[in-house]
Amino acid sequence: MFRSLSVRDYRIWFGGALVSNIGAWMQSTTQNWVVLTELTENNAAAVGVTMALQFGPQLLLVPFSGAVADRFDRRRVLLITQSLLMLLAAGLGLLLITGAAELWHLYAFALGLGLVNAFDTTSRQAFVSDLVGSAQLSNAVALNSASFNSARLIGPAVAGVLIAVVGSGWVFLINAASFLAVLAALLLISARKPPEPAGVPRESQLRQLSAGVRYVRRRHDLLVIFVMVFLVGAFSMNFPVISSTMAVEFGRGASDYGLLSSILAIGSLSGALLAARRPSARMRVVIVAVGGIGLVSLLAALMPSFWTFAATLVCFGLAISTMLTTANGFVQTTSDPAVRGRVLALYMAILMGGTPIGAPLVGLAADALGPRSTLVISAIAGLLAFGIGLAWLFVERGLRFHRGGGLRVTVTHAGRPGRGDDPGRQTETLTAPISVLRRGGPAIGAGESVPQEGSTASATGAIRIGDLDAEEPPETSQDPGAGAPHGDDPAEPGAPGDGGRRMR
C-alpha cells in the first residue's frame, strides 16, 4: 500500500504536501466563513461569487496551464506557484488582523488564488510522474488522494477552533507558514523533468483539445459521464455554501462549521478507499453514485437538527467521492491512449466549469429561499443525472428486466441479448468495465495540494495522432471472465466504454 514511499523524492514530497494540505484546508474553511459572517450579514450569494472567482480561471486557462507544465521544469514552476500562494495567504491574513479587510479584498484574493492554482494544479499533476516510475504511479496517486482526504479531515476542524480562539486572520498566516514545508521539500528533491525526444513536432494546446472534442463526440458513454459530472459539479458540490449556511441555520458557530467539513471528509476518505479496492472503473457505479447524491441531499434537507444533518454528510461525502473517483478512472482507462490527455483536460474543464455557474445560483437560492433550498437543488441535480445515466443504459445498452416465475427477474443487455443465454458466456458486461490497474499508460489523479471539490487532471504533453474524424474506436472482443483486455502495452487496442461496439 505504501510502496511509493520507498522512493526518496516522493517520500519528501509526500511529507511536505501533507503539511501544506492541512494548512490549505484550514484556509479554505476560514475564507468562506469570513465572507459569510465577518464581511457580510450571512450573504450566501457572496460565498458563491467567491467560489466562482476562485475556480473560473482554472477553467479558462486550461490550454495555457497545460503548455506551461509541458514546456518548463515542473519543479521550478511549483516553486514559483507555491511561493505566490504563500504570499497571497500572508497578505490577506495581515489585512484581517489589522481590520482593514473588505469584501472586495476577499474577491481579489479568490481571483488571485484561482489564477495561480490554474498553473499549480497542472504542473503538480505531471510532477508526480517525475518522482516515481510508471509502475508505481498509480500507487503514488492513491497516496496523494489519501493525503488530501486526511488533511480534509483535520484542517477544517482545526480552523473552526482557531477562528474562535485566535481569529480568522491568524489562520491565513498559519497557512502561509505551512507552505514552507512544501517549498523545503521542493528544494530537497533532486528529480527533474525528463528531456523531450528530439525531432518530435509540438502541437498547440488548442489543437490537442480540439482533437479530444472530436473523440468524445463519438463516445456517447463519455458524453453521458461528462453531463452527469457537470450537473453534480455545478449544483451538488457547493459544500462551502451549503455547510456555512446550514451551520447558521442551526445557530452554530465557526467551530461547528469546521466540524461539518471534517465529517464530510470521513465519507470522502471512505469512498476513495473503497474505490481503490475495485479492480475496474464501472460506469454503473457512477450512475448509482449520482443517484445516491440526489437521495442523500433530499434526506439532508429534511433533517431537523444539527447532528442529524451532520450524520447525513458522511453518506454525502461517500457518494461524491465514489462518483468522482470512478468517473475519473472510467474516463482515463476507456479513452484511447493517443488522446487520453486531451480527454482528461476536457473532463477537468467540465468538472470545474460547473462551479462558476452553479455556486452563485445556489448562493442566491440560499438567500432567497433559505439554506435548505441548496440541498433541494442538489437533490434535483443528482436525480436528474441519475435519470440521464439510466436512460443511456436502456437506450444504448439495451438494458431490460424480464420477470420470471415468482420473484425471479432476468436482466438482459447488449452483451447478453437473450433471456436464455448463459450469463457466463456473454460477450461483454453491462457497462464494459476496463481494468484500471492493468491498462497501459499512466493514470493521472486528482490534484491534492489545494482543496477542490473535484478531481482535476490535465494534458501536459503533445501527442501526435492521425485524423480522428476518419477513425472509429476499434472493435474488441472481451473475455467473459475479464471484462477488459489486459496487458501493459500502451499500444494495445483499447476497448471503448460502450463495450467494444462501434459508435456511429
Side-chain angles (χ1 to χ4, degrees):
M1 184 180 294
F2 302 102
R3 60 184 180 275
S4 297
L5 294 178
S6 63
V7 180
R8 173 190 175 274
D9 284 343
Y10 181 75
R11 188 166 60 247
I12 294 172
W13 169 254
F14 181 87
L18 178 60
V19 175
S20 183
N21 280 340
I22 295 174
W25 271 112
M26 291 168 55
Q27 174 178 282
S28 178
T29 304
T30 306
Q31 170 187 309
N32 297 302
W33 186 255
V34 166
V35 172
L36 185 69
T37 63
E38 296 184 19
L39 300 181
T40 68
E41 294 182 359
N42 299 332
N43 188 341
V47 179
V49 171
T50 304
M51 293 179 62
L53 290 171
Q54 183 172 339
F55 291 100
Q58 300 181 57
L59 167 66
L60 299 176
L61 295 175
V62 164
F64 305 101
S65 58
V68 168
D70 180 39
R71 300 177 186 181
F72 297 97
D73 183 356
R74 293 153 189 159
R75 175 178 164 274
R76 293 183 179 179
V77 173
L78 290 174
L79 281 169
I80 295 173
T81 57
Q82 293 289 309
S83 297
L84 291 174
L85 291 172
M86 179 178 67
L87 292 175
L88 284 170
L92 184 58
L94 290 174
L95 286 175
L96 289 168
I97 289 175
T98 58
E102 298 180 10
L103 183 59
W104 72 268
H105 290 132
L106 262 295
Y107 286 163
F109 169 78
L111 180 60
L113 201 65
L115 290 171
V116 177
N117 276 333
F119 295 94
D120 181 83
T121 300
T122 50
S123 294
R124 195 171 356 100
Q125 299 296 324
F127 187 59
V128 175
S129 63
D130 295 343
L131 300 177
V132 300
S134 58
Q136 294 177 314
L137 182 58
S138 61
N139 180 255
V141 169
L143 291 182
N144 280 352
S145 181
S147 168
F148 174 72
N149 286 291
S150 298
R152 189 178 187 177
L153 195 63
I154 301 170
V158 174
V161 174
L162 288 177
I163 292 172
V165 174
V166 298
S168 55
W170 287 103
V171 179
F172 284 90
L173 292 182
I174 292 172
N175 176 54
S178 74
F179 281 100
L180 295 175
V182 72
L183 289 173
L186 288 168
L187 292 173
L188 292 172
I189 287 172
S190 59
R192 297 293 186 272
K193 176 185 172 184
E196 295 183 6
V200 177
R202 185 189 301 275
E203 288 181 328
S204 68
Q205 291 294 114
L206 183 60
R207 183 176 176 83
Q208 291 187 50
L209 288 176
S210 65
V213 170
R214 296 197 302 272
Y215 177 80
V216 171
R217 195 167 53 200
R218 299 197 319 275
R219 287 281 307 276
H220 294 177
D221 53 342
L222 291 183
L223 288 174
V224 171
I225 286 278
F226 284 11
V227 171
M228 291 191 294
V229 166
F230 176 81
L231 286 172
V232 172
F235 300 107
S236 296
M237 290 170 53
N238 299 295
F239 186 72
V241 178
I242 295 173
S243 61
S244 58
T245 54
M246 288 299 290
V248 173
E249 171 81 357
F250 290 116
R252 300 290 178 142
S255 59
D256 289 322
Y257 164 55
L259 182 62
L260 289 178
S261 297
S262 296
I263 291 174
L264 180 79
I266 295 174
S268 298
L269 182 59
S270 302
L273 293 175
L274 289 173
R277 287 175 57 88
R278 299 188 188 100
S280 59
R282 299 172 182 263
M283 187 167 175
R284 64 171 176 253
V285 175
V286 181
I287 297 172
V288 171
V290 295
I293 292 170
L295 292 177
V296 172
S297 298
L298 189 59
L299 182 64
L302 301 175
M303 289 297 101
S305 68
F306 175 83
W307 290 111
T308 54
F309 170 72
T312 62
L313 294 184
V314 177
C315 298
F316 188 76
L318 176 66
I320 288 284
S321 180
T322 299
M323 182 212 71
L324 289 177
T325 305
T326 310
N328 186 286
F330 185 88
V331 170
Q332 291 194 51
T333 57
T334 65
S335 297
D336 189 319
V339 292
R340 182 179 297 153
R342 279 159 267 205
V343 174
L344 287 170
L346 290 172
Y347 173 81
M348 181 184 76
I350 289 172
L351 175 63
M352 299 174 64
T355 300
I357 298 173
L361 295 177
V362 172
L364 288 172
D367 289 334
L369 305 175
R372 294 180 187 273
S373 66
T374 62
L375 291 164
V376 175
I377 293 172
S378 173
I380 293 172
L383 293 175
L384 178 60
F386 174 74
I388 292 172
L390 198 61
W392 177 82
L393 289 179
F394 277 100
V395 174
E396 292 214 18
R397 304 298 294 135
L399 180 66
R400 298 291 184 271
F401 296 94
H402 309 275
R403 185 175 178 180
L407 298 177
R408 183 180 177 183
V409 176
T410 303
V411 180
T412 62
H413 51 84
R416 185 189 171 198
R419 278 183 284 178
D421 294 347
D422 180 4
R425 299 181 61 84
Q426 64 191 46
T427 58
E428 58 187 44
T429 57
L430 175 60
T431 53
I434 294 183
S435 172
V436 176
L437 299 179
R438 302 185 69 176
R439 279 284 296 170
I444 304 174
E448 279 92 16
S449 289
V450 179
Q452 299 183 34
E453 295 297 328
S455 174
T456 57
S458 174
T460 59
I463 306 172
R464 300 178 63 192
I465 61 172
D467 184 4
L468 288 178
D469 286 332
E471 298 179 3
E472 292 194 58
E475 289 188 89
T476 60
S477 178
Q478 294 180 310
D479 176 51
H486 299 320
D488 297 323
D489 182 7
E492 179 185 2
D498 69 328
R501 296 186 304 154
R502 290 184 179 269
M503 308 295 293
R504 303 217 194 285

